[in-house]
Each structure stands twice: as structure tokens, then as C-alpha cells.
């Protein structure tokens, strides 16, 4: 009997210890508010960036498939440069070089830099989606007398969206994770918030595991959400 | 109705059409046969400019269509085309496939187009498929709907690019049957096919193409019974 009481007490002490550590690192002095701020920054910067990226991606994907050599070249230069340089480096170039003279707000720089970065990947996703639609679809549309634009809009793009959606949503999820480099320009994103708590409390594992779980919950939740969306869109594929 | 003058087309260094001259009259059913790579599909695709000719002229209803001035979209409304692989739009229902172009091009209102589409579907016995997606259909059904989709534009001529080549053998009959009906209704047709029976029965004139040239052309009787060209004799001996 004493043996079991002993084990119970050990477990009890263990969990009380964890709780006390957690309380000291996260709750005391309202440090959890840092995480809330970081989470908010991460989410709104990622959403704004993906919106910018989507607009850029739509335009440049159309450039990439256009007949004009000039437009194609511009789009190719953009995607080559952006995809060939790490986001952290780009972010610092934007903040310390390009926008430095304007003294622009670091959050705004973060949104612009992430948006431009995401745009290059979205461009490639959309281009692959459009070019993945069988050429026969375009020929069928054109042979009915529809113009290039009408065919693109009503026949090719609806099918391209469906095939591009899984890669597009994973780009958004990847972007949420990549915003963790924002600390390079001293934006308090979720990762930075965890780091600040670690420095203040000398406890590494509680803040780091906490932000890891938060990242995982966001990405897992979004993955599930997008899967539902895909299933709806693929209704015509059921056979 | 269609006049082709000295049509030349090559892909890179490969000359596919080597100066074709051809006139197709209203009401004719011209069947183009020949071995693979003879240029017959390219010839057909040049007629509605799905392929752009390198040189030569294509005239349709008194208008040269391979010039910058010509609005090819307007011309194509009058030239239906049926493809080997059907090319139905998979994201649209059967009815939407048929009504998309006439409604979008403002030739018919949505109600008119749907009424006409239902009439056409009833005629081919597929009215019960109106609201399903193409992937639920058999190959033969898909191709008949593709034909109807072209017909919904009320074209003056129909171009068929090997319409039965991708079908299971048992599906070929229903598609050819529909094409025969069209022919009987007086539709002008240009058909690229390997179906010799169809060519003989429905064609008013048969063209034999090889190496980018029309080597022989004649009404079906003469074409099949008394071929003159050696290459054609050889070809017929293998396919008949």
C-alpha cells in the first residue's frame, strides 16, 4: 500500500511541478498576452500576405501564359529571383535597404515582403494549374466561337482552380510557418513571442512546446478546413 | 462554301500540308481518309484556324478567314467542330455544356438555349442525362453530346476530326448513326475518319491524303471501286 501511495505522491509532485512552472512562465506578469500578440501578428500578416500573393499570382500567371514575350520575361525574372532567395534575406533587404529611407512601419514591411514572396510561389501554382488543363478544352471552347478570354474565364480557369487548390492551400499553410522569420526585423510574431518568454523566465521548454502546439493546431485546423472545401469543389469528379 | 488555296503548313521542319487546293460546296459531305501523319487532321484543323497556316488562303462564305482583319470567333460560330476526344467540359453539366456558348455569345437567351438543348437531347435519346456531369457518360454518349453541343450553335458546316477513333467498338455505331442523320438533314460536313463503311455510305466525295497532298478524290463508288493512284490502291488493299 505504501508503495502505491509513494507512486501517487511522485506523480502528484510531478504535475504540481509542471503546473507551477507553467504558471511562472506563462501566467505570471501576464506573459501569455505576448503569445496572443504574437499569434495575432502571425495570422494577420499571413492573411494579408496571401491576399497580396494571390493578386500577384493571378496577374503573373496570366503573364506567364500570355503570347507577349515581354510579359513572360518579366514574370520569369520575378519568380526566379524571389524563389531563389531565402525569405529571411528578402525580408531584411526590404526592411534595411529598400524601405529604410522611408522609415516604414515594420509590420507593413513584413506584409509587403511576405506578400511579394508568396506571390512568386502562387504564380507558379496558378500557371501549373492552368497549363494542366487539357489543351482540348481550350480548342473546344475556341471552336464554339468563344474568345480567348471567354474560354480562359469560363472553361480553363474553373478547372485550373480545382487542380491548383490543394497546392494553393498548402502554400498558405507554409506561409504561416514561414512568418517565423519575422523576428529578423523585430516583429513579434508567435515564434518571437515564445522566444521573449524564454529569455524572461529562463524556461525553454514550456514556451517552445506551447508555440509548437499552437502552430500545429492552426495548420492542422486549416488543412481540415481546406479538405472540406476541396471535397465540395470536386463534386463533378465523382463517378 | 469553303475554299482552300495553296494551303501550306509545317511544324518545325516537318511539312505537313504541301499546298492543298480544295473547294467544298454547300451540302457536300466530304470524307478525308489517309494513313496516320498524312496531314488530314491538320487540314481539317486549318479550316477553322485551330492551326494557323504558314501560307495560302482559306475562304468561308465569301470571306478570307486567315487574315488579321477577319474576326475568327464570329466565323467559328458557324463552323461546328467535333473532336476525337470529345472535349466536353467536365466541370459543367450536360445541359450547361450545350448552352454555354450560345448564351455567352448572346445568340440565345438562357431559356431559349435550354429549350433548344432539351429538344436536341430528346432527339438523341439522352434527355435523362441533362443534369449530370460528363464523367458519368459512356464514350458514345459523350461524343453524341459533343455533336449536339456544336449543333446548338446552328452551324453552317460541321468538321469531324476522327470522331469515332477513341470509342469502344460497340459505341461507334451510335455516333455514326447520328452523323448519318445530320447528313440526311442536309448539313455540310467534312469528316476525317478511318470508317470506310461510313465514307462509302454517307460521303458525297472522298479525298485521299498522303504526305501533305490530296492524291486522289472522287465520289465514293469510283473512289473505292476504281482507284487510280498507286498509293491509294495500296492503302485500300490494307484497310478494306
Amino acid at each position: 500500500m505504501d508503495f502505491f501511495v509513494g507512486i501517487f505522491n511522485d506523480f502528484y509532485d510531478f504535475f504540481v511541478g509542471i503546473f507551477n512552472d507553467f504558471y511562472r512562465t506563462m501566467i505570471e506578469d501576464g506573459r501569455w498576452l505576448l503569445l496572443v500578440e504574437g499569434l495575432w501578428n502571425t495570422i494577420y500578416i499571413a492573411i494579408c500576405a496571401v491576399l497580396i500573393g494571390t493578386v500577384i499570382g493571378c496577374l503573373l500567371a496570366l503573364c506567364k501564359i500570355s503570347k507577349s514575350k515581354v510579359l513572360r520575361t518579366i514574370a520569369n525574372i520575378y519568380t526566379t529571383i524571389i524563389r531563389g532567395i531565402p525569405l529571411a534575406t528578402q525580408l531584411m533587404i526590404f526592411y534595411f535597404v529598400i524601405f529604410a529611407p522611408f522609415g516604414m512601419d515594420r509590420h507593413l514591411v513584413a506584409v509587403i515582403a511576405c506578400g511579394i514572396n508568396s506571390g512568386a510561389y502562387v504564380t507558379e501554382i496558378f500557371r501549373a494549374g492552368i497549363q494542366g488543363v487539357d489543351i482540348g478544352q481550350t480548342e473546344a471552347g475556341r471552336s464554339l466561337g468563344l474568345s480567348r478570354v471567354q474560354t480562359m474565364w469560363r472553361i480553363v480557369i474553373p478547372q485550373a482552380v480545382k487542380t491548383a487548390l490543394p497546392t494553393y492551400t498548402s502554400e498558405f499553410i507554409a506561409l504561416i510557418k514561414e512568418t517565423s522569420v519575422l523576428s529578423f526585423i523585430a516583429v513579434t510574431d508567435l515564434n518571437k513571442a515564445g522566444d521573449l518568454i524564454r529569455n524572461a523566465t529562463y524556461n525553454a521548454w514550456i514556451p517552445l512546446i506551447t508555440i509548437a502546439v499552437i502552430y500545429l493546431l492552426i495548420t492542422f485546423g486549416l488543412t481540415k478546413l481546406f479538405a472540406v472545401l476541396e471535397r465540395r469543389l470536386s463534386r463533378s469528379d465523382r463517378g | 462554301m469553303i475554299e482552300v488555296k495553296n494551303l501550306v503548313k509545317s511544324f518545325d521542319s516537318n511539312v505537313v500540308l504541301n499546298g492543298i487546293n480544295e473547294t467544298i460546296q454547300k451540302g457536300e459531305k466530304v470524307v478525308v481518309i489517309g494513313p496516320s501523319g498524312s496531314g488530314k487532321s491538320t487540314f481539317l484543323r486549318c479550316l477553322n484556324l485551330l492551326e494557323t497556316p504558314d501560307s495560302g488562303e482559306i475562304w468561308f462564305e465569301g470571306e478570307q478567314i486567315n487574315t488579321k482583319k477577319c474576326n475568327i470567333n464570329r466565323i467559328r460560330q458557324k463552323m461546328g467542330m467535333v473532336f476525337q476526344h470529345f472535349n466536353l467540359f467536365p466541370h459543367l453539366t450536360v445541359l450547361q455544356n450545350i448552352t454555354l456558348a450560345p448564351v455567352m455569345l448572346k445568340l440565345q437567351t438562357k431559356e431559349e438555349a435550354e429549350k433548344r438543348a432539351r429538344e436536341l437531347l430528346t432527339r438523341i435519346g439522352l434527355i435523362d442525362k441533362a443534369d449530370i456531369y460528363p464523367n458519368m457518360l459512356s464514350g458514345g454518349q459523350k461524343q453524341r453530346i459533343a455533336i449536339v453541343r456544336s449543333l446548338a450553335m446552328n452551324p453552317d458546316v460541321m468538321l469531324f476530326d476522327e470522331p469515332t477513333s477513341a470509342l469502344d467498338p460497340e459505341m461507334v455505331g451510335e455516333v455514326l448513326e447520328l452523323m448519318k442523320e445530320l447528313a440526311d438533314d442536309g448539313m455540310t460536313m467534312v469528316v476525317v475518319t478511318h470508317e470506310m463503311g461510313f465514307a462509302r455510305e454517307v460521303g458525297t466525295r472522298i479525298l485521299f491524303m498522303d504526305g501533305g497532298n490530296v492524291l486522289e478524290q472522287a465520289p465514293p463508288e469510283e473512289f473505292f471501286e476504281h482507284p487510280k493512284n498507286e498509293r491509294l490502291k495500296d492503302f485500300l488493299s490494307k484497310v478494306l
Side-chain angles (χ1 to χ4, degrees), chain A residues 3-195:
Chain A
F3 173 71
F4 288 107
V5 171
I7 286 186
F8 177 79
N9 282 338
D10 287 349
F11 270 105
Y12 180 78
D13 289 346
F14 178 68
F15 283 110
V16 167
I18 288 181
F19 180 79
N20 284 338
D21 280 354
F22 189 79
Y23 185 85
R24 259 199 307 279
T25 46
M26 306 297 280
I27 313 292
E28 221 173 62
D29 300 332
R31 272 189 282 271
W32 61 277
L33 287 170
L34 263 177
L35 286 192
V36 174
E37 187 198 340
L39 180 61
W40 163 246
N41 283 337
T42 289
I43 288 177
Y44 97 77
I45 289 173
I47 289 177
C48 292
V50 93
L51 290 178
I52 294 174
T54 304
V55 173
I56 294 177
C58 285
L59 292 175
L60 289 194
L62 292 176
C63 289
K64 279 218 168 187
I65 58 166
S66 84
K67 280 184 183 166
S68 154
K69 199 165 183 220
V70 179
L71 290 179
R72 283 205 312 269
T73 310
I74 291 172
N76 282 334
I77 291 173
Y78 168 74
T79 52
T80 306
I81 291 178
I82 297 294
R83 296 199 306 162
I85 301 172
L87 176 58
T89 314
Q90 286 174 36
L91 194 64
M92 291 167 78
I93 290 174
F94 273 108
Y95 187 65
F96 294 112
V97 182
I98 298 175
F99 290 125
F102 310 107
M104 205 184 266
D105 176 63
R106 62 186 81 236
H107 290 90
L108 190 57
V109 176
V111 166
I112 293 172
C114 289
I116 289 176
N117 181 270
S118 174
Y121 292 92
V122 175
T123 299
E124 287 302 324
I125 291 168
F126 287 173
R127 180 198 55 77
I130 290 171
Q131 290 183 338
V133 176
D134 180 27
I135 183 74
Q137 293 290 311
T138 305
E139 290 183 349
R142 297 303 307 277
S143 75
L144 286 165
L146 301 180
S147 69
R148 250 174 85 86
V149 174
Q150 288 171 323
T151 305
M152 191 49 91
W153 189 242
R154 287 298 296 277
I155 294 166
V156 177
I157 288 181
Q159 296 181 58
V161 165
K162 221 187 285 182
T163 51
L165 193 68
T167 8
Y168 175 70
T169 54
S170 50
E171 161 60 19
F172 180 51
I173 291 168
L175 189 65
I176 288 179
K177 290 182 286 177
E178 278 187 39
T179 53
S180 61
V181 302
L182 289 177
S183 59
F184 281 94
I185 60 168
V187 170
T188 310
D189 73 313
L190 186 58
N191 189 53
K192 179 72 179 172
D195 206 40

Side-chain angles (χ1 to χ4, degrees), chain A residues 137 139 142 154 237-238, chain B residues 45 76 88 91 104 135:
Chain A
Q137 293 290 311
E139 290 183 349
R142 297 303 307 277
R154 287 298 296 277
D237 293 339
R238 271 185 226 149
Chain B
R45 290 161 58 85
R76 285 184 181 139
L88 290 181
H91 61 301
M104 207 168 180
N135 63 337

